[in-house]
Amino acid sequence: MQVAWSLDGAETFVLEAIRSFATDRACPTPPADERWLDVASRAGVLSVVLDAVGRAGHPLPANASRSRYFGVTTQLRARAELAALIRALGPTTVRWVVLKGPILADIVYRRPAVRTYTDLDVLVHPHDLGEALDALEGAGFELVDRNWELVARSGRGEINLTIPNGGLLDLHWHVVNDGRARSQFSVDVRSMVSRRVTVDIDGLSVPTLDPVDTIVHLALHASLSGGHRALWLLDLQQAVLHGGCTVEELRERAQEMRTDLVVQVMLARAARYVDQRLEEWASDIRTRVSWTRLCEMVSGSAPPLGVRPGKHTGRLVFSATRATTGSSAAAVIRSAGQRGILMLRKPVTRETLHASDGTPADRALWIAGARLSE
């Protein structure tokens, strides 16, 4: 049985440190018990918290240099990964954008080496998926997900490849990976890619989503991933703070995509735990409905501090948020039922996706499915 969280000193400090970073206030003094390092790591915000602690003039733990070193090496690795990607896709007619990762680290966040990441996400126009896959493989990228029968049957919106220098690439033809969830929204990735903008990252011209689409995508990613990590909420807050779009533009785009409920739920959760200024944005996106209020109630007892055994995270509710209260409730029921089924049936895992299975016809079927998607 999972129970609501009763925050201890380390957890309270991490949440306060996140708020201080987000709102540019002085970070409180860290507790003597360095368990807060593990709490911050579980929530995905260790580099952020260390930055806030250091800027406030507090002494850093002896082992903090490892995290800062990781942040710097992440940026160096990203340059090589982006350069390899540009060399592979640049000469083609593929329409593509980079998501999250280096865009957040170098453009959205304003402090270097604070937003760390471990893989590179690329979204291609659905009509260009086959050409993109061929170009990447021709440039030395290698498939990780090789179970084409499973990929085609499930209609996945992404597959994984390794980058020649050893990193991981998530190749998306849609921003919603699960086919059933995808059908509940009206996210037109063709339009998202057509609205792309180009940003400069250390001399590299990198295409990415426009600021409004970036916020919608970050809200979708945070929600569908379970909403249980503070990093995702901070990403959203930083994009709103530094993106330059208006709440009116966001409301119009989110309503057009039928993602306004998702955006509202995640903005409200970010307002509670990261920056209360986002509450005005959450209120202006749409009228609050019963699902919003349910999520706010769940959010109050489930801080975004990652997964901790025996503690309620709210993942079941947040990941089920769809376009309406009715479709969200149906998704919760379906998800709860699937959890029971998975106890009796072998689940789909990374290992099953990585296993070689299927034929070239299955690969062609997956690519055709992307082209025919609405």
Side-chain angles (χ1 to χ4, degrees):
M1 178 180 178
Q2 293 185 330
V3 297
W5 288 42
S6 178
L7 294 175
D8 60 25
E11 292 164 341
T12 299
F13 167 73
V14 168
L15 290 174
E16 285 300 319
I18 294 168
R19 292 188 187 100
S20 70
F21 176 91
T23 58
D24 202 26
R25 292 184 289 109
C27 177
T29 303
D33 178 5
E34 292 185 359
R35 197 176 59 80
W36 59 267
L37 292 168
D38 294 330
V39 175
S41 180
R42 193 172 63 237
V45 291
L46 180 56
S47 293
V48 168
V49 172
L50 289 175
D51 180 83
V53 170
R55 281 196 294 144
H58 304 307
L60 293 171
N63 59 349
S65 59
R66 180 182 302 177
S67 175
R68 291 196 158 188
Y69 173 78
F70 178 70
V72 173
T73 56
T74 291
Q75 287 193 317
L76 294 176
R77 188 196 73 226
R79 305 303 178 269
E81 293 176 347
L82 284 171
L85 182 68
I86 291 170
R87 284 195 300 270
L89 297 182
T92 72
T93 60
V94 174
R95 292 157 288 182
W96 58 282
V97 295
V98 173
L99 307 172
K100 301 185 299 177
I103 303 302
L104 292 171
D106 289 80
I107 305 300
V108 174
Y109 282 67
R110 298 301 169 88
R111 295 190 59 77
V114 167
R115 187 14 172 118
T116 58
Y117 57 97
T118 57
D119 55 11
L120 189 62
D121 290 85
V122 174
L123 172 68
V124 301
H125 192 289
H127 285 192
D128 300 338
L129 178 59
E131 182 184 358
L133 191 52
D134 289 341
L136 290 168
E137 289 184 293
F141 291 67
E142 296 183 0
L143 285 169
V144 175
D145 295 340
R146 295 175 295 165
N147 192 334
W148 287 113
E149 189 280 329
L150 177 58
V151 169
R153 172 164 47 86
S154 59
R156 293 177 62 82
E158 66 178 88
I159 59 170
N160 298 135
L161 301 93
T162 55
I163 302 171
N165 70 351
L168 188 66
L169 174 73
D170 292 343
L171 177 65
H172 303 251
W173 66 265
H174 204 282
V175 293
V176 180
N177 185 37
D178 179 75
R180 188 188 290 270
R182 193 184 308 136
S183 68
Q184 299 297 309
F185 304 109
S186 299
V187 178
D188 183 358
V189 293
R190 296 168 178 79
S191 295
M192 294 176 79
V193 173
S194 71
R195 289 190 290 263
R196 64 191 180 278
V197 297
T198 301
V199 297
D200 180 86
I201 298 181
D202 279 359
L204 296 174
S205 295
V206 182
T208 190
L209 299 177
D210 80 5
V212 186
D213 285 334
T214 293
I215 295 173
V216 172
H217 172 239
L218 290 174
L220 269 171
H221 175 261
S223 177
L224 295 174
S225 299
H228 58 284
R229 302 189 82 204
L231 179 66
W232 301 329
L233 303 180
L234 185 59
D235 287 346
L236 186 59
Q237 184 263 356
Q238 291 286 292
V240 170
L241 188 66
H242 300 140
C245 79
T246 66
V247 68
E248 291 79 16
E249 290 172 323
L250 179 59
R251 179 173 61 240
E252 181 180 356
R253 188 77 54 81
Q255 289 178 351
E256 175 185 315
M257 297 183 181
R258 300 184 71 232
T259 59
D260 48 322
L261 182 55
V262 168
V263 173
Q264 182 181 61
V265 165
M266 287 297 104
L267 283 173
R269 185 154 168 77
R272 177 187 290 271
Y273 288 107
V274 177
D275 185 351
Q276 64 182 7
R277 291 174 295 181
L278 295 186
E279 174 55 38
E280 183 176 352
W281 283 67
S283 297
D284 287 349
I285 288 297
R286 59 167 294 154
T287 302
R288 274 176 160 80
V289 293
S290 55
W291 188 260
T292 316
R293 291 188 285 271
L294 171 65
C295 288
E296 289 174 337
M297 182 178 67
V298 170
S299 190
S301 61
L305 294 175
V307 177
R308 182 177 170 187
K311 294 294 186 178
H312 177 51
T313 63
R315 287 185 295 172
L316 180 65
V317 172
F318 297 127
S319 64
T321 304
R322 300 292 187 263
T324 66
T325 293
S327 58
S328 301
V332 161
I333 295 170
R334 184 166 52 250
S335 180
Q338 287 175 343
R339 289 188 177 190
I341 292 172
L342 290 178
M343 296 177 66
L344 304 174
R345 182 185 301 170
K346 184 178 180 180
V348 174
T349 63
R350 277 294 170 197
E351 287 71 25
T352 57
L353 281 169
H354 296 173
S356 294
D357 196 6
T359 66
D362 293 311
R363 171 175 168 147
L365 181 62
W366 179 65
I367 293 171
R371 290 181 59 87
L372 293 173
S373 64
E374 292 295 335

mmCIF file of all heavy atoms in Angstrom, residues 17-33:
data_model
loop_
_atom_site.group_PDB
_atom_site.id
_atom_site.type_symbol
_atom_site.label_atom_id
_atom_site.label_comp_id
_atom_site.label_asym_id
_atom_site.label_seq_id
_atom_site.Cartn_x
_atom_site.Cartn_y
_atom_site.Cartn_z
ATOM 1 N N ALA A 17 15.282 24.413 -2.273
ATOM 2 C CA ALA A 17 16.398 24.748 -3.153
ATOM 3 C C ALA A 17 15.931 24.888 -4.600
ATOM 4 O O ALA A 17 16.394 25.771 -5.334
ATOM 5 C CB ALA A 17 17.489 23.685 -3.047
ATOM 6 N N ILE A 18 15.011 24.010 -5.016
ATOM 7 C CA ILE A 18 14.457 24.095 -6.368
ATOM 8 C C ILE A 18 13.731 25.427 -6.547
ATOM 9 O O ILE A 18 13.901 26.124 -7.555
ATOM 10 C CB ILE A 18 13.491 22.926 -6.634
ATOM 11 C CG1 ILE A 18 14.247 21.598 -6.646
ATOM 12 C CG2 ILE A 18 12.754 23.125 -7.963
ATOM 13 C CD1 ILE A 18 13.345 20.381 -6.605
ATOM 14 N N ARG A 19 12.919 25.796 -5.573
ATOM 15 C CA ARG A 19 12.185 27.071 -5.651
ATOM 16 C C ARG A 19 13.159 28.248 -5.691
ATOM 17 O O ARG A 19 12.933 29.236 -6.417
ATOM 18 C CB ARG A 19 11.242 27.215 -4.464
ATOM 19 C CG ARG A 19 10.079 26.232 -4.453
ATOM 20 C CD ARG A 19 9.087 26.576 -3.353
ATOM 21 N NE ARG A 19 8.058 25.564 -3.219
ATOM 22 C CZ ARG A 19 8.055 24.603 -2.285
ATOM 23 N NH1 ARG A 19 9.048 24.576 -1.392
ATOM 24 N NH2 ARG A 19 7.093 23.715 -2.230
ATOM 25 N N SER A 20 14.232 28.171 -4.930
ATOM 26 C CA SER A 20 15.191 29.281 -4.919
ATOM 27 C C SER A 20 15.870 29.421 -6.276
ATOM 28 O O SER A 20 16.091 30.536 -6.753
ATOM 29 C CB SER A 20 16.225 29.070 -3.806
ATOM 30 O OG SER A 20 17.095 27.985 -4.101
ATOM 31 N N PHE A 21 16.194 28.307 -6.912
ATOM 32 C CA PHE A 21 16.777 28.364 -8.254
ATOM 33 C C PHE A 21 15.777 28.956 -9.241
ATOM 34 O O PHE A 21 16.120 29.825 -10.050
ATOM 35 C CB PHE A 21 17.188 26.957 -8.701
ATOM 36 C CG PHE A 21 17.718 26.898 -10.110
ATOM 37 C CD1 PHE A 21 19.083 27.040 -10.355
ATOM 38 C CD2 PHE A 21 16.866 26.716 -11.193
ATOM 39 C CE1 PHE A 21 19.581 26.998 -11.654
ATOM 40 C CE2 PHE A 21 17.355 26.674 -12.492
ATOM 41 C CZ PHE A 21 18.713 26.827 -12.723
ATOM 42 N N ALA A 22 14.539 28.474 -9.191
ATOM 43 C CA ALA A 22 13.525 28.881 -10.158
ATOM 44 C C ALA A 22 13.172 30.360 -10.044
ATOM 45 O O ALA A 22 12.870 31.016 -11.044
ATOM 46 C CB ALA A 22 12.271 28.029 -9.983
ATOM 47 N N THR A 23 13.206 30.891 -8.838
ATOM 48 C CA THR A 23 12.772 32.274 -8.601
ATOM 49 C C THR A 23 13.929 33.212 -8.299
ATOM 50 O O THR A 23 13.711 34.358 -7.935
ATOM 51 C CB THR A 23 11.755 32.315 -7.448
ATOM 52 O OG1 THR A 23 12.357 31.748 -6.264
ATOM 53 C CG2 THR A 23 10.511 31.502 -7.794
ATOM 54 N N ASP A 24 15.160 32.695 -8.445
ATOM 55 C CA ASP A 24 16.364 33.503 -8.251
ATOM 56 C C ASP A 24 16.425 34.110 -6.854
ATOM 57 O O ASP A 24 16.755 35.285 -6.679
ATOM 58 C CB ASP A 24 16.448 34.600 -9.318
ATOM 59 C CG ASP A 24 17.877 35.100 -9.512
ATOM 60 O OD1 ASP A 24 18.804 34.335 -9.230
ATOM 61 O OD2 ASP A 24 18.052 36.265 -9.925
ATOM 62 N N ARG A 25 16.126 33.285 -5.865
ATOM 63 C CA ARG A 25 16.265 33.686 -4.464
ATOM 64 C C ARG A 25 17.412 32.912 -3.825
ATOM 65 O O ARG A 25 17.852 31.888 -4.334
ATOM 66 C CB ARG A 25 14.970 33.408 -3.692
ATOM 67 C CG ARG A 25 13.797 34.279 -4.106
ATOM 68 C CD ARG A 25 12.573 34.030 -3.238
ATOM 69 N NE ARG A 25 11.959 32.729 -3.505
ATOM 70 C CZ ARG A 25 11.997 31.690 -2.687
ATOM 71 N NH1 ARG A 25 12.671 31.768 -1.544
ATOM 72 N NH2 ARG A 25 11.401 30.561 -3.002
ATOM 73 N N ALA A 26 17.880 33.399 -2.673
ATOM 74 C CA ALA A 26 18.972 32.728 -1.977
ATOM 75 C C ALA A 26 18.516 31.369 -1.463
ATOM 76 O O ALA A 26 17.425 31.231 -0.888
ATOM 77 C CB ALA A 26 19.466 33.586 -0.814
ATOM 78 N N CYS A 27 19.347 30.387 -1.663
ATOM 79 C CA CYS A 27 19.044 29.024 -1.225
ATOM 80 C C CYS A 27 19.260 28.908 0.287
ATOM 81 O O CYS A 27 20.235 29.443 0.811
ATOM 82 C CB CYS A 27 19.945 28.043 -1.965
ATOM 83 S SG CYS A 27 19.748 26.320 -1.487
ATOM 84 N N PRO A 28 18.373 28.218 0.998
ATOM 85 C CA PRO A 28 18.593 28.023 2.431
ATOM 86 C C PRO A 28 19.811 27.140 2.696
ATOM 87 O O PRO A 28 20.335 26.485 1.788
ATOM 88 C CB PRO A 28 17.299 27.345 2.895
ATOM 89 C CG PRO A 28 16.742 26.698 1.670
ATOM 90 C CD PRO A 28 17.116 27.589 0.532
ATOM 91 N N THR A 29 20.249 27.110 3.940
ATOM 92 C CA THR A 29 21.406 26.307 4.318
ATOM 93 C C THR A 29 21.069 24.821 4.256
ATOM 94 O O THR A 29 20.042 24.406 4.785
ATOM 95 C CB THR A 29 21.858 26.653 5.745
ATOM 96 O OG1 THR A 29 22.136 28.052 5.815
ATOM 97 C CG2 THR A 29 23.098 25.864 6.134
ATOM 98 N N PRO A 30 21.898 24.019 3.600
ATOM 99 C CA PRO A 30 21.609 22.583 3.525
ATOM 100 C C PRO A 30 21.689 21.934 4.897
ATOM 101 O O PRO A 30 22.474 22.363 5.752
ATOM 102 C CB PRO A 30 22.726 22.047 2.605
ATOM 103 C CG PRO A 30 23.304 23.233 1.931
ATOM 104 C CD PRO A 30 23.112 24.384 2.859
ATOM 105 N N PRO A 31 20.900 20.896 5.120
ATOM 106 C CA PRO A 31 21.003 20.177 6.398
ATOM 107 C C PRO A 31 22.342 19.456 6.495
ATOM 108 O O PRO A 31 22.966 19.122 5.482
ATOM 109 C CB PRO A 31 19.834 19.198 6.343
ATOM 110 C CG PRO A 31 19.496 19.058 4.900
ATOM 111 C CD PRO A 31 19.853 20.349 4.253
ATOM 112 N N ALA A 32 22.776 19.211 7.721
ATOM 113 C CA ALA A 32 24.051 18.525 7.926
ATOM 114 C C ALA A 32 24.022 17.110 7.359
ATOM 115 O O ALA A 32 25.025 16.603 6.861
ATOM 116 C CB ALA A 32 24.396 18.504 9.415
ATOM 117 N N ASP A 33 22.861 16.481 7.433
ATOM 118 C CA ASP A 33 22.703 15.142 6.875
ATOM 119 C C ASP A 33 22.717 15.244 5.346
ATOM 120 O O ASP A 33 21.813 15.821 4.750
ATOM 121 C CB ASP A 33 21.372 14.541 7.358
ATOM 122 C CG ASP A 33 21.103 13.156 6.773
ATOM 123 O OD1 ASP A 33 21.986 12.635 6.067
ATOM 124 O OD2 ASP A 33 20.007 12.623 7.019
#
